[in-house]
Amino acid sequence: MAIVRQTYPVTGMTCASCASSVERTLSSVEGVRKVSVNLASNSVMVEFDEEKTGPESMRSSLDDLGYGLVTESFTYQDDTGIQENHQLRQARQNTLWAIILSIPVFIMAMLMPVFPYKNWIMMALTLVVMGWFGREFFIVAWKRLRHGSANMDTLVALGTGSAFLFSAFNTVFPGFLLTHGLEPHVYFESAVVIISLVLLGRYLEHRARRNTSLSIRKLMGLRVKTARVIRNGLETEILLEEVVTGDNILIRPGERIPVDGKVTEGGSYVDESMITGEPLPVEKREGDTVIGATLNTTGSFRMRAGKVGAETMLSQIIRLIQEAQGSKPPIQRLADRIAGIFVPVVLAIALVSFTIWYVFGPSPQLTYAFVILVTVLIIACPCAMGLATPTAVMAGVGRAAEMGILIRDAASIEMLNRADVIVLDKTGTMTEGKPSVRDVFWDTETIGQGMPERILFSMESLSEHPLARAVLDYYQPKTIRPLIPSEFTAHPGMGIRAVFDKKLYIAGKKAFIEEAGAAVSTEMENKYLEWIHNAWTIIFLADDTRALGMVAISDHVKDSAAGAVQALKRMGRNVVMLTGDHETGAAALARQVGIDSCCSDLMPAGKLDFIRDLQQKGHIVAMVGDGINDAPALAQANVGIAIGTGTDIAMESAQITLIHGDLEKLVQAVGYSGRIVRIIRQNLFWAFFYNAVSIPIAAGILFPFTGFLLNPMIAGAAMAFSSVSVVGNSLRLK
C-alpha cells in the first residue's frame, strides 16, 4: 500500500457548502482515506492510496459537480499566485460588464415606460448578462441538480431563470395573456440586478480570501537564496538547495542565516523576533543554536548546518500555517444550509400549485396554472435571502474600516461574536515592542554632577548590545558630548569596561560590577529589588569601588491595554496572554493589566498547541498577535486578529486587522461584530418570513376565500420590496 498525501488547487468553490460538497465527493472516491478542504486558499489536501486511485479519478468526480481539480505539477509560490490573479481578473471583468449592461435595463424598466422595442432590447441585454457573465450559476445549478443537491447557485439560477423565461415569453408572445385579459409584464431588470449583485459579492469575497495565501508565499520569500559555505578550506557561494547537513557556513553582519544550525566560531547578536516575537536581538556564542531566516545584526561567525530544507524552523512554521488553515471547520452560512431544503420545497409548491389550478381551477385552467407557476417562482426568487448577509457585511465592514478595523469575511465576524476566549500575544500586542528607559537612579553623591551620565552615554555609544540603543535614545535629547576612553573592553553577556582619565568604569549586570569589587548601597539595592519585581532589565554603572547609578529598561505596556482587558472581561470574555518571554516578565505584565491567566516561554508551535487545547475543550478562540511567530496560532484560532503595526505575514494570516494597533479597537471590534451578526440574523429572518408568507399567497391559497389572486407584477414588486427592506436594515450599520 502506497499512501500519498498531496495538496491540489480547486476551482469553482464559492461558499462553505461548496467546500462541504468537494470534501464529501472526494471522500466517496475509492482509495481516498482523508480529505481536508481549505476554502481560504481554494485548495484540498487529499490522502489516498495510489494503488487504488489517482488525481485523474478525483478530478473526474469533481467535474460532474462543476468543480475543477488542478492536478498538473505546480509550485505553491509561483503558479498558484498566477492562477489566483487570473481568476480574480476574470471575476472582476464579469462583474464590471454585468453591471454595465444591467444599468440600461434597469433605467428602461423603471424610468422609461414607453420606448421603441423596449422589451426586445432588455431581453437581448439580459440574455448576454445571464448567458455569458452569469453562466456559471446555471452550469453549477444544473450539475448539482443532476446529483440531487442545491446551493446558492441553485437559488440564483431558479429565481433569475424563471423571471427571464416568463419575461421572454411575454416579449415574444405578448398576445397570449392579452387575449385572456392579463397584462404581459416583464421582469428583466430583476434578473440582471440579481446576477450583478451576486457577482459583485463573489468578487469581493474572492479578493479577500486570496490574500490569505499571500502569507505563505511571503514566508517562503524570507528564505535565503544562497549560502556561503566552506568546503575543503575554500569559501563558495552555493544555492540554498545544495546545502547539506554538516556544512560549515560563514555568516556576515546584516545577513540572514540560511538554515538551522549551531555556532562553531565567533559570535554576534541575532534578531529572532520573527520566531520568538521578542524585540531584543539574542547574543549567540560558540555552541548556541541559530535559526534559519533570522537576521544577524552585528558580528561575523561560522556555523554548522543542522536542519536543512523542510526540516528548518521556517519550513515548519509554513507547514503549521497550512495545516491550521486547512483544519478550520467551514462556517456554514444559514442561507446555504437552508438552500438544500428551500429549493425542492419551492419547486414542489410551484408544481403542486400548477397541477391543482390546472385540474380544479376556473377556465382557462392552463392560463391560470401557468401564471400561478411563474408567480410562485418569481416571488420565491431568493433576492432578499441572497442579499441578507452580503449587504450587512458590506455595510458593516465599510463602517468598521472607518473605525480602523479591517474585516475580511462574514465568517470572522460571526466567530468573533461567538468567541468566549480572547488570547493576547504580549510583545507588540500588549506592549509597544520597543525597549526604552523606564527609570534612572543615581547614588546620592553623584546626583547633580552630570559626569556619571556622560560616562554611561560614552560607554554605551561604543557598545553593540541591543539595550545600548535604549540608553542612547534616552540621553540623546540632552546633547551629551561623548568622551573618548583610553581603553574599552566588551564582555559578552555581562557588560563593558572603559577607562576615562586613568580611571576604570564598569557598566552592565549587577553580578558583573560586584565581581569587579564595586559595592551597592542599601538605598540602591532596595530600588534594584523594586525594579526586578517589575521585570525590568537593569544596567549598573560603577567605578572600581562602588556603584554610581543604574538604569531600568523595559518594553512599555500600551496605554490602552489595561482598559481593553477590563472591557473584554465585562463583555463576558476570558482573557489569556501568551508570550515567548520569560515567566517573570510575563507575570509582571499580566498583573499590571489585570490578566489572570498567562503562559510564557512559548515558541510558535507551543502557541499553536495552546490554541488547539482550548478548542478541544469546546472554546471559541480569538487570537490577537503581531509577529511571524504568531502566524500559526492566528491561522489555527477560530478568528485571528492582527495588530496593524506588526508584520505583513501576521496580518495576512488573520481574518481581522486592527490598523493602528490600539487595543481599544479590539474592544470595538468585539462589540461591533455582535451588532453586525444581529443585523444579519434580522435580515435572514425577514427574508425567510417573506417567503413563508408570500409563497402560499402566490400559490393562490386566498382565492377560494376572497377571490384574490396575486398578479405576477405585484409578485415582482413584493420581491423587490423584500430586497429593499433587507438593504435598508443593513444600512443601519452606517
Side-chain angles (χ1 to χ4, degrees):
M1 180 183 295
I3 302 300
V4 177
R5 187 173 182 176
Q6 184 64 50
T7 299
Y8 301 102
V10 179
T11 60
M13 291 195 301
T14 58
C15 62
S17 66
C18 292
S20 179
S21 295
V22 170
E23 189 165 312
R24 186 169 55 250
T25 302
L26 290 178
S27 298
S28 65
V29 175
E30 183 183 3
V32 173
R33 301 180 50 160
K34 184 179 179 182
V35 180
S36 179
V37 176
N38 187 346
L39 184 60
S41 61
N42 285 318
S43 64
V44 58
M45 185 281 295
V46 187
E47 189 176 290
F48 60 95
D49 183 353
E50 64 177 357
E51 295 178 0
K52 295 182 178 180
T53 189
E56 292 304 319
S57 299
M58 293 183 284
R59 181 168 64 179
S60 178
S61 67
L62 289 182
D63 284 343
D64 293 339
L65 279 178
Y67 305 113
L69 190 70
V70 182
T71 58
E72 291 79 9
S73 176
F74 74 100
T75 60
Y76 195 99
Q77 185 173 0
D78 300 321
D79 294 349
T80 302
I82 295 172
Q83 183 185 44
E84 287 177 347
N85 289 334
H86 173 73
Q87 292 175 353
L88 192 63
R89 284 196 302 270
Q90 190 65 48
R92 183 171 61 243
Q93 290 175 3
N94 287 346
T95 303
L96 181 62
W97 280 108
I99 292 174
I100 290 174
L101 295 178
S102 297
I103 290 174
V105 176
F106 185 82
I107 291 175
M108 282 188 285
M110 297 298 177
L111 304 177
M112 304 173 67
V114 179
F115 190 82
Y117 303 105
K118 168 184 169 182
N119 287 357
W120 288 93
I121 296 173
M122 290 194 298
M123 183 174 72
L125 292 174
T126 303
L127 187 61
V128 174
V129 172
M130 296 177 60
W132 186 253
F133 303 113
R135 65 188 183 280
E136 287 299 320
F137 295 119
F138 300 93
I139 294 173
V140 173
W142 170 247
K143 290 184 176 182
R144 292 189 70 109
L145 182 62
R146 286 167 50 199
H147 289 78
S149 61
N151 68 345
M152 285 301 294
D153 288 333
T154 309
L155 296 176
V156 173
L158 175 68
T160 58
S162 61
F164 175 80
L165 289 175
F166 181 69
S167 301
F169 180 85
N170 288 343
T171 299
V172 179
F173 307 106
F176 182 81
L177 292 183
L178 286 172
T179 57
H180 297 89
L182 297 174
E183 184 71 22
H185 295 286
V186 295
Y187 307 97
F188 293 121
E189 77 283 356
S190 298
V192 294
V193 168
I194 293 168
I195 292 290
S196 298
L197 286 176
V198 176
L199 283 175
L200 177 61
R202 292 274 176 90
Y203 164 69
L204 295 175
E205 183 179 2
H206 183 77
R207 187 177 66 175
R209 285 210 319 264
R210 169 182 171 271
N211 291 333
T212 57
S213 63
L214 289 177
S215 62
I216 296 177
R217 293 203 295 275
K218 283 197 174 184
L219 276 174
M220 289 181 171
L222 290 176
R223 288 174 172 164
V224 180
K225 307 299 181 185
T226 61
R228 194 175 290 104
V229 302
I230 301 173
R231 294 176 178 173
N232 301 321
L234 297 177
E235 181 183 317
T236 308
E237 190 168 349
I238 63 175
L239 294 175
L240 182 65
E241 292 77 11
E242 298 175 8
V243 176
V244 297
T245 301
D247 269 340
N248 290 313
I249 305 174
L250 176 63
I251 309 296
R252 294 175 177 174
E255 292 182 342
R256 287 195 179 273
I257 298 169
V259 296
D260 297 358
K262 288 190 176 182
V263 177
T264 58
E265 184 181 336
S268 181
Y269 285 91
V270 177
D271 182 354
E272 295 184 341
S273 58
M274 60 163 283
I275 300 297
T276 65
E278 297 306 310
L280 298 180
V282 179
E283 182 187 5
K284 298 293 180 180
R285 290 183 284 181
E286 186 175 336
D288 289 342
T289 299
V290 289
I291 301 171
T294 55
L295 181 64
N296 179 35
T297 60
T298 54
S300 298
F301 62 90
R302 293 187 181 186
M303 61 171 286
R304 179 175 291 109
K307 294 181 179 180
V308 300
E311 299 299 318
T312 64
M313 177 75 77
L314 179 62
S315 296
Q316 291 179 29
I317 290 178
I318 293 172
R319 177 180 56 80
L320 288 173
I321 294 177
Q322 289 174 320
E323 290 182 356
Q325 287 181 336
S327 66
K328 281 185 177 182
I331 307 302
Q332 295 284 351
R333 292 192 180 119
L334 185 56
D336 282 323
R337 292 199 297 264
I338 293 180
I341 301 173
F342 179 78
V343 175
V345 168
V346 169
L347 288 173
I349 292 174
L351 292 175
V352 169
S353 301
F354 178 87
T355 303
I356 292 175
W357 278 89
Y358 182 72
V359 175
F360 302 105
S363 181
Q365 289 94 335
L366 180 60
T367 300
Y368 277 108
F370 179 75
V371 171
I372 289 293
L373 174 69
V374 175
T375 303
V376 170
L377 290 176
I378 288 178
I379 206 164
C381 180
C383 311
M385 192 186 307
L387 292 171
T389 298
T391 53
V393 170
M394 291 174 68
V397 167
R399 175 63 184 132
E402 295 172 6
M403 297 160 58
I405 303 165
L406 296 182
I407 302 174
R408 291 201 171 190
D409 52 46
S412 62
I413 298 171
E414 182 181 348
M415 281 293 102
L416 182 57
N417 180 58
R418 293 174 54 195
D420 60 331
V421 178
I422 308 291
V423 177
L424 302 173
D425 172 54
K426 182 180 81 73
T427 305
T429 302
M430 303 292 292
T431 67
E432 299 291 347
K434 182 181 179 182
S436 59
V437 173
R438 298 299 302 273
D439 202 353
V440 294
F441 182 87
W442 296 103
D443 184 74
T444 306
E445 296 181 15
T446 66
I447 293 176
Q449 296 180 13
M451 183 58 70
E453 291 181 303
R454 186 179 181 188
I455 289 173
L456 178 63
F457 180 83
S458 303
M459 293 176 70
E460 295 295 354
S461 66
L462 298 174
S463 173
E464 293 182 344
H465 196 281
L467 291 180
R469 172 49 55 189
V471 175
L472 296 179
D473 288 344
Y474 178 76
Y475 284 111
Q476 203 76 48
K478 298 185 179 182
T479 61
I480 298 176
R481 187 162 54 89
L483 300 169
I484 306 300
S486 57
E487 296 180 25
F488 180 85
T489 309
H491 298 263
M494 296 299 293
I496 51 180
R497 295 171 182 261
V499 176
F500 296 94
D501 195 21
K502 299 182 181 181
K503 186 172 183 178
L504 175 66
Y505 291 92
I506 311 163
K509 294 181 177 179
K510 183 170 183 283
F512 183 56
I513 67 164
E514 289 178 334
E515 183 182 326
V520 178
S521 67
T522 302
E523 186 180 10
M524 192 178 298
E525 180 72 26
N526 292 335
K527 179 61 69 173
Y528 170 77
L529 294 175
E530 177 186 331
W531 287 355
I532 284 293
H533 181 73
N534 293 334
W536 293 349
T537 300
I538 293 95
I539 296 177
F540 280 84
L541 175 67
D543 57 22
D544 54 358
T545 60
R546 64 188 177 91
L548 304 177
M550 56 184 182
V551 178
I553 299 174
S554 77
D555 196 0
H556 279 281
V557 178
K558 290 182 178 178
D559 295 336
S560 60
V565 169
Q566 297 308 313
L568 291 172
K569 286 183 175 181
R570 288 194 296 270
M571 296 168 75
R573 268 64 174 189
N574 182 24
V575 183
V576 181
M577 186 178 74
L578 302 184
T579 179
D581 198 2
H582 54 80
E583 183 178 358
T584 304
L589 189 143
R591 287 193 304 269
Q592 184 176 347
V593 299
I595 293 178
D596 301 321
S597 176
C598 71
C599 290
S600 55
D601 299 308
L602 293 179
M603 296 294 278
K607 294 182 179 182
L608 177 64
D609 290 338
F610 186 88
I611 299 294
R612 282 177 175 164
D613 289 342
L614 286 174
Q615 291 172 328
Q616 289 172 0
K617 294 175 183 177
H619 294 289
I620 305 296
V621 183
M623 168 71 187
V624 187
D626 76 313
I628 294 176
N629 62 303
D630 300 319
L634 288 170
Q636 174 64 34
N638 298 91
V639 56
I641 304 173
I643 299 296
T645 51
T647 65
D648 290 342
I649 291 168
M651 288 185 278
E652 286 155 8
S653 297
Q655 292 84 39
I656 297 175
T657 299
L658 309 179
I659 297 177
H660 303 297
D662 185 356
L663 287 181
E664 286 297 332
K665 296 298 180 184
L666 173 62
V667 178
Q668 292 181 8
V670 173
Y672 198 61
S673 68
R675 189 178 177 197
I676 295 175
V677 169
R678 283 194 299 273
I679 293 293
I680 292 174
R681 288 173 178 168
Q682 291 169 5
N683 287 348
L684 290 172
F685 170 79
W686 286 112
F688 295 132
F689 179 79
Y690 155 79
N691 280 293
V693 172
S694 61
I695 290 176
I697 295 176
I701 195 172
L702 298 179
F703 186 80
F705 308 103
T706 65
F708 176 77
L709 194 63
L710 189 63
N711 189 291
M713 180 183 66
I714 299 176
M719 178 185 66
F721 175 77
S722 68
S723 300
V724 171
S725 64
V726 165
V727 174
N729 191 44
S730 297
L731 290 177
R732 293 196 299 120
L733 289 166
K734 287 288 187 180

